[in-house]
Amino acid sequence: MKVLYKKILDLEIWHDYYLGQPNPPKPPPTGYDISDMLALVPTPECLRVLRNLRWLFRPQPRGASIFAHVEQASSGDFATLLPVNRPEQLTFWLIVRDRYFANFTNLPLTTNRHQIYYFSNLSLNQGHALFLTQPLPNYAANSEYHLGQLVHHDGKTLEALLYQASASKNPNANDWDILPNSQYVSELDRLPQQGLSRIYTIPKANPGDIWRLTLVNVHEQETFVLDVTTPITHTPGDAIACSLNFSGQIPGCYKLCLNNIQVDRFVLCDPIASKDAFALVEIVLNQSLVPSAFSLLQPQDGNTLIKPKTYVIRCKNRATRWRYRYEKPHGFSAASLPNFELIDAKTYATKRPLGLRLQPDSLLTDGKDQLLPAPAIALIKPETDTQAHVTTIFSDIHL
């Protein structure tokens, strides 16, 4: 008997440190390999679901792929051998393997161990690819923007070149770098990371009040319920603390509701299992919730037809000012270095941040038209103002 497997999903991770910003955006070239830097690892719960569905997970140079055990339907399409007739989710840890990842990736320099990045096929973020990230915000006048922040404006992606306490009515070319329109990992993709237990405080309660605390998963299903009755001895109007134990819940994005009203949203995971994870990727298999463009499956006549898709997580490379330092005076004047800011007799730096690249498209030249090396990623040097806002990030090159 012939056993037939078909690819149903590609999970790809694109990183501009390796790819640059091609215009128009396009998929990575042949030979692109991100596996030494980032890895997708199925959670134990995911492996259980895959096994029950008779699907296979395989790491790939660009990320990972999933293959389904299929048979040919009467229509000529391929259907999963076992119908997918109930909501499921596939969860993966995204593990960073490169210790310099934060140096060359355009994400906040400060990390928060109580937060984790979260990517989902419920993001509704469709452009030149099916992105698992949240859509970037549109540019808004008078808004505060930090260095490196990404926004959309007039069909382009803009990157802030400096901290802006209150942005101008229209983007100023001196303040923003203009990139081809694409979607990237951003701060909007971070959520609180919740462990297996917590204390939730109801701010105001009266004796005899009945409260219901519930967890709601991505399928809008309640997976945890705790009913609390305020003791008769409770002081009217005082807060009441409730101890919540989420043991047995599978990793994923949840809403915490109090009497059916959402009071929190977070990624629930065992801190031990997720201690090395940069992100959780959650792929929802639910025809009633997943947009058709993102759907891997299509029910038909009792079968589940496969609709193979490619999902993308794209990271922007960090832009820094390249600062060249000489052991002896370099002898250049400001006039002979038009593309640089002359800092002192031994130092000059690019006026604008430049994206760090594994292989730059071109190298800079000094005042004598000699090629200058590009910076390494091992060391970046941020500078801050009196309010601790990062104002610039240097990459130093010693000559």
Side-chain angles (χ1 to χ4, degrees):
M1 179 179 177
K2 185 178 180 180
V3 177
L4 182 62
Y5 280 87
K6 288 287 186 181
K7 185 188 295 184
I8 191 171
L9 173 63
D10 279 323
L11 286 167
E12 294 192 353
I13 306 168
W14 301 357
H15 201 300
D16 285 9
Y17 176 71
Y18 298 92
L19 299 173
Q21 292 92 35
N23 193 5
K26 57 185 178 182
T30 302
Y32 172 73
D33 190 339
I34 202 78
S35 60
D36 286 341
M37 184 179 70
L38 292 165
L40 287 160
V41 179
T43 65
E45 295 79 9
C46 177
L47 291 175
R48 176 184 56 80
V49 173
L50 292 173
R51 184 170 57 251
N52 290 342
L53 293 176
R54 298 189 187 178
W55 293 7
L56 299 176
F57 172 86
R58 292 291 183 265
Q60 302 291 353
R62 299 183 182 191
S65 298
I66 293 177
F67 296 83
H69 191 180
V70 300
E71 58 186 0
Q72 196 156 19
S74 57
S75 63
D77 295 321
F78 289 96
T80 58
L81 185 68
L82 300 178
V84 184
N85 48 23
R86 67 176 187 178
E88 301 279 10
Q89 66 238 53
L90 307 176
T91 48
F92 308 86
W93 300 119
L94 182 57
I95 307 297
V96 174
R97 291 173 168 171
D98 192 319
R99 61 176 177 167
Y100 296 118
F101 178 75
N103 284 21
F104 60 83
T105 305
N106 183 27
L107 294 173
L109 291 167
T110 56
T111 58
N112 186 334
R113 65 185 181 89
H114 299 296
Q115 291 188 318
I116 190 170
Y117 284 88
Y118 173 74
F119 308 117
S120 167
N121 62 337
L122 298 180
S123 66
L124 302 176
N125 193 2
Q126 182 181 4
H128 58 94
L130 300 178
F131 293 98
L132 300 183
T133 48
Q134 293 297 311
L136 294 176
N138 290 321
Y139 178 86
N142 304 318
S143 295
E144 180 183 28
Y145 292 114
H146 61 73
L147 175 67
Q149 191 162 349
L150 301 172
V151 299
H152 279 318
H153 178 72
D154 197 22
K156 297 290 184 181
T157 298
L158 306 184
E159 180 181 2
L161 298 178
L162 72 169
Y163 169 73
Q164 300 166 52
S166 181
S168 58
K169 182 178 179 180
N170 294 302
N172 188 313
N174 294 324
D175 300 338
W176 298 88
D177 195 15
I178 301 176
L179 308 171
N181 189 25
S182 191
Q183 296 288 338
Y184 291 99
V185 178
S186 73
E187 290 181 70
L188 296 179
D189 296 302
R190 286 200 299 189
L191 287 177
Q193 182 171 333
Q194 173 61 55
L196 299 182
S197 63
R198 72 177 285 179
I199 300 295
Y200 180 78
T201 300
I202 300 171
K204 185 178 180 180
N206 296 310
D209 285 349
I210 297 176
W211 308 92
R212 169 165 284 203
L213 285 155
T214 57
L215 272 188
V216 179
N217 67 9
V218 290
H219 300 290
E220 301 297 331
Q221 299 169 331
E222 290 185 355
T223 63
F224 169 91
V225 177
L226 177 67
D227 290 318
V228 178
T229 300
T230 309
I232 299 299
T233 57
H234 183 80
T235 303
D238 280 2
I240 183 172
C242 306
S243 179
L244 308 180
N245 186 341
F246 299 137
S247 297
Q249 301 293 318
I250 66 175
C253 183
Y254 290 86
K255 294 184 292 186
L256 178 65
C257 297
L258 177 64
N259 290 350
N260 295 320
I261 298 174
Q262 181 178 329
V263 293
D264 202 359
R265 180 171 178 260
F266 47 71
V267 174
L268 177 63
C269 48
D270 184 339
I272 296 176
S274 62
K275 65 182 180 68
D276 296 323
F278 165 73
L280 180 73
V281 180
E282 190 165 39
I283 305 303
V284 178
L285 305 178
N286 188 333
Q287 292 304 109
S288 64
L289 295 178
V290 179
S292 60
F294 285 80
S295 183
L296 308 173
L297 308 170
Q298 179 185 323
Q300 187 179 89
D301 300 328
N303 294 324
T304 305
L305 303 183
I306 66 170
K307 299 295 179 182
K309 297 290 188 296
T310 298
Y311 296 156
V312 174
I313 300 168
R314 186 173 188 179
C315 297
K316 169 74 177 60
N317 54 334
R318 188 179 297 285
T320 64
R321 292 182 63 193
W322 300 5
R323 184 165 59 183
Y324 292 89
R325 296 179 175 275
Y326 289 74
E327 292 184 4
K328 299 178 181 180
H330 48 65
F332 298 127
S333 65
S336 62
L337 296 170
N339 297 320
F340 295 91
E341 176 188 350
L342 186 61
I343 297 175
D344 57 40
K346 295 183 179 180
T347 314
Y348 53 83
T350 56
K351 294 180 179 179
R352 295 167 65 93
L354 302 174
L356 296 174
R357 293 279 303 279
L358 178 64
Q359 295 180 332
D361 292 334
S362 61
L363 296 175
L364 305 177
T365 57
D366 63 13
K368 295 180 181 178
D369 291 331
Q370 298 294 316
L371 291 177
L372 295 167
I377 59 172
L379 183 64
I380 59 175
K381 295 184 177 181
E383 294 190 354
T384 58
D385 60 18
T386 55
Q387 283 79 41
H389 299 124
V390 177
T391 56
T392 190
I393 302 175
F394 287 108
S395 290
D396 280 345
I397 305 101
H398 293 269
L399 300 174

